[in-house]
Coordinates of all heavy atoms in Angstrom, one line a residue:
P31 N 115.9 99.8 119.3 CA 114.6 100.0 119.8 C 114.4 99.5 121.3 O 113.6 100.0 122.0 CB 113.7 99.3 118.9 CG 114.4 99.4 117.5 CD 115.8 99.2 117.9
T32 N 115.2 98.5 121.7 CA 115.1 98.0 123.0 C 115.5 99.0 124.1 O 115.2 98.8 125.3 CB 115.9 96.7 123.2 OG1 117.3 96.9 123.0 CG2 115.4 95.6 122.2
L33 N 116.2 100.1 123.7 CA 116.5 101.1 124.6 C 115.4 102.1 124.9 O 115.4 102.8 125.9 CB 117.7 101.9 124.1 CG 119.0 101.2 123.8 CD1 120.0 102.1 123.0 CD2 119.6 100.6 125.0
I34 N 114.4 102.1 124.1 CA 113.3 103.1 124.1 C 112.6 103.1 125.5 O 112.3 104.2 126.0 CB 112.4 103.0 122.9 CG1 113.2 103.3 121.7 CG2 111.2 103.8 123.1 CD1 112.5 102.9 120.4
P35 N 112.2 101.9 126.0 CA 111.4 102.0 127.3 C 112.1 102.7 128.4 O 111.4 103.3 129.3 CB 111.3 100.5 127.6 CG 111.3 99.8 126.3 CD 112.3 100.6 125.5
H36 N 113.4 102.8 128.4 CA 114.1 103.6 129.4 C 113.8 105.1 129.4 O 114.1 105.8 130.4 CB 115.6 103.4 129.3 CG 116.1 101.9 129.4 ND1 116.0 101.2 130.6 CD2 116.6 101.0 128.5 CE1 116.5 100.0 130.4 NE2 116.8 99.9 129.2
Y37 N 113.3 105.5 128.3 CA 113.1 107.0 128.1 C 111.6 107.4 128.0 O 111.3 108.5 127.7 CB 113.8 107.5 126.8 CG 115.3 107.3 127.0 CD1 116.0 106.3 126.3 CD2 116.1 108.1 127.8 CE1 117.4 106.1 126.4 CE2 117.4 108.0 127.9 CZ 118.1 107.0 127.3 OH 119.5 106.8 127.4
V38 N 110.7 106.4 128.2 CA 109.3 106.7 128.1 C 108.9 107.5 129.4 O 109.3 107.0 130.5 CB 108.4 105.5 128.0 CG1 107.0 105.8 128.0 CG2 108.8 104.8 126.7
S39 N 108.2 108.6 129.3 CA 107.8 109.4 130.5 C 107.0 108.5 131.4 O 106.1 107.7 131.0 CB 107.0 110.6 130.0 OG 106.4 111.2 131.1
P40 N 107.2 108.7 132.7 CA 106.4 107.9 133.7 C 104.9 108.2 133.6 O 104.1 107.5 134.1 CB 106.9 108.4 135.1 CG 108.3 109.0 134.8 CD 108.2 109.5 133.4
D41 N 104.6 109.4 133.0 CA 103.2 109.8 132.8 C 102.5 109.1 131.6 O 101.3 109.2 131.5 CB 103.0 111.3 132.6 CG 103.6 112.1 133.8 OD1 103.5 111.6 134.9 OD2 104.1 113.1 133.6
V42 N 103.3 108.4 130.8 CA 102.8 107.7 129.6 C 102.7 106.2 129.9 O 103.8 105.6 130.1 CB 103.6 108.0 128.4 CG1 103.1 107.2 127.2 CG2 103.6 109.5 128.1
K43 N 101.5 105.6 129.8 CA 101.4 104.2 130.0 C 101.2 103.5 128.6 O 100.2 103.7 127.9 CB 100.1 103.9 130.9 CG 99.7 102.4 131.0 CD 100.8 101.6 131.6 CE 100.4 100.1 131.8 NZ 101.5 99.3 132.3
I44 N 102.2 102.7 128.3 CA 102.1 101.9 127.0 C 102.2 100.4 127.4 O 102.6 100.1 128.5 CB 103.3 102.3 126.1 CG1 104.7 101.9 126.7 CG2 103.2 103.7 125.7 CD1 105.8 102.0 125.7
T45 N 101.8 99.6 126.4 CA 101.9 98.2 126.6 C 102.8 97.6 125.5 O 102.6 97.9 124.3 CB 100.5 97.5 126.4 OG1 99.6 98.0 127.5 CG2 100.6 96.0 126.6
L46 N 103.8 96.9 125.9 CA 104.8 96.4 125.0 C 104.4 95.0 124.6 O 104.3 94.1 125.5 CB 106.2 96.5 125.5 CG 106.8 97.9 125.8 CD1 108.1 97.8 126.4 CD2 106.8 98.7 124.5
Q47 N 104.3 94.7 123.3 CA 104.0 93.4 122.8 C 105.3 92.8 122.3 O 106.0 93.4 121.5 CB 103.0 93.4 121.7 CG 102.5 92.1 121.3 CD 103.2 91.6 120.0 OE1 103.9 92.3 119.4 NE2 102.9 90.3 119.7
A48 N 105.7 91.6 122.7 CA 106.9 90.9 122.3 C 106.5 89.7 121.3 O 105.7 88.9 121.7 CB 107.7 90.4 123.4
E49 N 107.0 89.7 120.1 CA 106.6 88.8 119.2 C 107.0 87.3 119.6 O 106.4 86.4 119.0 CB 107.2 89.1 117.8 CG 108.7 89.0 117.7 CD 109.2 89.7 116.4 OE1 109.2 91.0 116.4 OE2 109.7 89.0 115.5
N50 N 107.9 87.2 120.5 CA 108.2 85.8 121.0 C 107.2 85.3 122.0 O 107.5 84.2 122.5 CB 109.7 85.8 121.5 CG 109.9 86.7 122.7 OD1 109.3 87.8 122.7 ND2 110.7 86.3 123.7
G51 N 106.1 86.0 122.2 CA 105.0 85.3 122.9 C 104.6 85.9 124.2 O 104.1 85.2 125.1
F52 N 104.6 87.2 124.4 CA 104.0 87.8 125.6 C 103.7 89.3 125.4 O 104.2 89.9 124.5 CB 104.7 87.6 126.9 CG 106.1 88.2 127.0 CD1 106.3 89.3 127.7 CD2 107.2 87.6 126.3 CE1 107.6 89.8 127.9 CE2 108.5 88.1 126.5 CZ 108.7 89.2 127.3
I53 N 102.7 89.8 126.2 CA 102.4 91.2 126.1 C 102.5 91.7 127.5 O 102.2 91.0 128.5 CB 100.9 91.4 125.6 CG1 100.7 92.8 125.2 CG2 99.9 90.9 126.6 CD1 99.5 93.0 124.3
G54 N 103.0 92.9 127.7 CA 103.3 93.4 129.0 C 104.8 93.4 129.3 O 105.3 93.3 130.4
L55 N 105.6 93.4 128.2 CA 107.1 93.4 128.4 C 107.5 94.6 129.2 O 107.0 95.7 129.1 CB 107.7 93.5 127.0 CG 109.3 93.7 126.9 CD1 110.0 92.5 127.3 CD2 109.7 94.1 125.5
C56 N 108.5 94.4 130.1 CA 109.0 95.5 130.9 C 110.5 95.2 131.2 O 111.0 94.1 130.8 CB 108.2 95.7 132.2 SG 108.3 94.3 133.4
A57 N 111.1 96.0 132.0 CA 112.5 95.8 132.3 C 112.8 94.6 133.1 O 111.9 94.1 133.8 CB 113.0 97.0 133.1
H58 N 113.9 94.0 133.0 CA 114.3 92.8 133.7 C 114.1 93.0 135.2 O 114.5 94.0 135.8 CB 115.8 92.5 133.4 CG 116.3 91.3 134.2 ND1 117.3 91.3 135.1 CD2 115.8 90.0 134.2 CE1 117.5 90.2 135.6 NE2 116.6 89.3 135.1
D59 N 113.4 92.1 135.9 CA 113.1 92.2 137.3 C 113.9 91.2 138.2 O 113.5 91.0 139.3 CB 111.6 92.0 137.5 CG 111.1 90.6 137.0 OD1 112.0 89.8 136.6 OD2 109.9 90.4 136.9
G60 N 115.0 90.7 137.7 CA 115.8 89.8 138.5 C 115.4 88.4 138.5 O 116.0 87.6 139.3
N61 N 114.4 88.0 137.7 CA 114.0 86.6 137.7 C 115.1 85.7 137.1 O 115.7 85.9 136.1 CB 112.7 86.4 136.8 CG 112.9 86.9 135.4 OD1 113.4 86.1 134.5 ND2 112.6 88.1 135.1
L62 N 115.5 84.7 137.9 CA 116.5 83.7 137.5 C 116.1 82.3 137.9 O 115.4 82.1 138.9 CB 117.8 84.0 138.3 CG 118.7 85.2 137.8 CD1 119.8 85.4 138.8 CD2 119.3 84.8 136.4
R63 N 116.5 81.4 137.0 CA 116.2 80.0 137.3 C 117.4 79.5 138.2 O 118.4 80.1 138.4 CB 116.2 79.2 136.0 CG 115.1 79.6 135.1 CD 114.8 78.7 133.9 NE 116.1 78.2 133.3 CZ 116.2 77.9 132.0 NH1 115.1 78.1 131.2 NH2 117.3 77.5 131.5
E64 N 117.2 78.3 138.7 CA 118.3 77.7 139.5 C 119.6 77.5 138.8 O 120.6 77.5 139.4 CB 117.8 76.4 140.1 CG 116.7 76.5 141.1 CD 116.3 75.1 141.7 OE1 116.9 74.1 141.3 OE2 115.3 75.1 142.5
D65 N 119.5 77.3 137.5 CA 120.7 77.1 136.7 C 121.4 78.5 136.3 O 122.4 78.5 135.6 CB 120.5 76.3 135.5 CG 119.5 76.9 134.5 OD1 119.1 78.1 134.7 OD2 119.1 76.3 133.5
G66 N 120.8 79.6 136.8 CA 121.4 80.9 136.5 C 120.9 81.6 135.3 O 121.3 82.7 135.0
N67 N 120.0 80.9 134.5 CA 119.5 81.5 133.3 C 118.2 82.3 133.6 O 117.6 82.1 134.7 CB 119.2 80.4 132.2 CG 120.4 79.8 131.7 OD1 121.4 80.5 131.4 ND2 120.5 78.5 131.5
Y68 N 117.8 83.1 132.7 CA 116.6 83.9 132.9 C 115.4 83.2 132.5 O 115.3 82.5 131.5 CB 116.8 85.2 132.1 CG 118.0 86.0 132.5 CD1 119.1 86.0 131.7 CD2 118.0 86.8 133.7 CE1 120.3 86.8 132.0 CE2 119.1 87.5 134.0 CZ 120.3 87.5 133.2 OH 121.4 88.2 133.6
Y69 N 114.3 83.4 133.2 CA 113.0 82.9 132.9 C 112.4 83.6 131.6 O 111.8 83.0 130.8 CB 112.0 83.1 134.0 CG 112.1 82.0 135.1 CD1 112.6 82.4 136.4 CD2 111.8 80.7 134.9 CE1 112.7 81.4 137.4 CE2 111.9 79.8 135.9 CZ 112.3 80.1 137.1 OH 112.4 79.2 138.1
I70 N 112.6 84.9 131.6 CA 112.0 85.7 130.5 C 113.1 86.4 129.7 O 113.9 87.1 130.3 CB 111.0 86.7 131.2 CG1 110.0 86.0 132.1 CG2 110.3 87.5 130.1 CD1 109.2 86.9 132.9
V71 N 112.9 86.4 128.4 CA 113.8 87.2 127.5 C 112.9 87.9 126.5 O 111.9 87.4 126.1 CB 114.9 86.3 126.8 CG1 115.8 85.7 127.8 CG2 114.2 85.2 126.0
D72 N 113.4 89.0 126.0 CA 112.7 89.7 124.9 C 113.1 89.1 123.6 O 113.9 88.1 123.5 CB 113.0 91.2 125.0 CG 114.5 91.6 124.7 OD1 115.2 90.7 124.1 OD2 114.9 92.7 125.1
P73 N 112.6 89.6 122.5 CA 112.9 89.0 121.2 C 114.4 89.0 120.8 O 114.8 88.2 119.9 CB 112.0 89.8 120.2 CG 110.9 90.3 121.0 CD 111.5 90.5 122.3
S74 N 115.1 89.9 121.4 CA 116.6 90.0 121.2 C 117.3 88.9 122.0 O 118.5 88.8 121.8 CB 117.1 91.4 121.5 OG 116.5 92.3 120.7
G75 N 116.6 88.3 122.9 CA 117.3 87.3 123.8 C 117.9 88.0 125.0 O 118.6 87.4 125.8
N76 N 117.5 89.3 125.3 CA 118.0 90.0 126.5 C 117.0 89.7 127.6 O 115.8 89.5 127.5 CB 118.0 91.5 126.2 CG 118.9 91.9 125.1 OD1 120.0 91.4 125.0 ND2 118.5 92.8 124.2
P77 N 117.6 89.7 128.9 CA 116.7 89.5 130.0 C 115.6 90.5 130.1 O 115.8 91.7 129.8 CB 117.7 89.7 131.2 CG 119.1 89.5 130.6 CD 119.0 89.9 129.2
A78 N 114.4 90.1 130.4 CA 113.2 91.0 130.5 C 112.3 90.6 131.6 O 112.5 89.5 132.2 CB 112.5 90.9 129.1
G79 N 111.3 91.4 131.9 CA 110.3 91.1 132.9 C 109.0 91.2 132.2 O 108.8 91.5 131.0
I80 N 107.9 91.0 133.0 CA 106.6 91.1 132.5 C 105.7 91.9 133.5 O 105.9 91.7 134.8 CB 106.0 89.7 132.2 CG1 104.6 89.9 131.5 CG2 105.9 88.9 133.5 CD1 104.1 88.6 130.9
E81 N 104.9 92.8 133.0 CA 104.0 93.5 133.9 C 103.0 92.6 134.7 O 102.8 91.5 134.3 CB 103.2 94.5 133.1 CG 104.0 95.5 132.3 CD 104.5 96.7 133.1 OE1 104.3 96.7 134.3 OE2 105.1 97.6 132.5
H82 N 102.5 93.1 135.8 CA 101.6 92.3 136.6 C 100.4 91.9 135.9 O 99.7 90.9 136.2 CB 101.3 93.0 137.9 CG 100.3 94.1 137.8 ND1 100.7 95.4 137.4 CD2 99.0 94.2 138.0 CE1 99.6 96.2 137.3 NE2 98.6 95.5 137.7

Side-chain angles (χ1 to χ4, degrees):
T32 62
L33 300 172
I34 293 167
H36 299 290
Y37 297 105
V38 176
S39 168
D41 299 327
V42 176
K43 171 62 177 175
I44 63 171
T45 300
L46 295 176
Q47 187 264 351
E49 63 195 73
N50 59 324
F52 62 105
I53 196 162
L55 173 70
C56 66
H58 176 240
D59 57 8
N61 58 86
L62 280 174
R63 300 191 316 211
E64 290 183 2
D65 62 5
N67 291 317
Y68 300 102
Y69 279 111
I70 305 170
V71 295
D72 66 20
S74 300
N76 298 317
I80 187 168
E81 302 278 5
H82 73 278

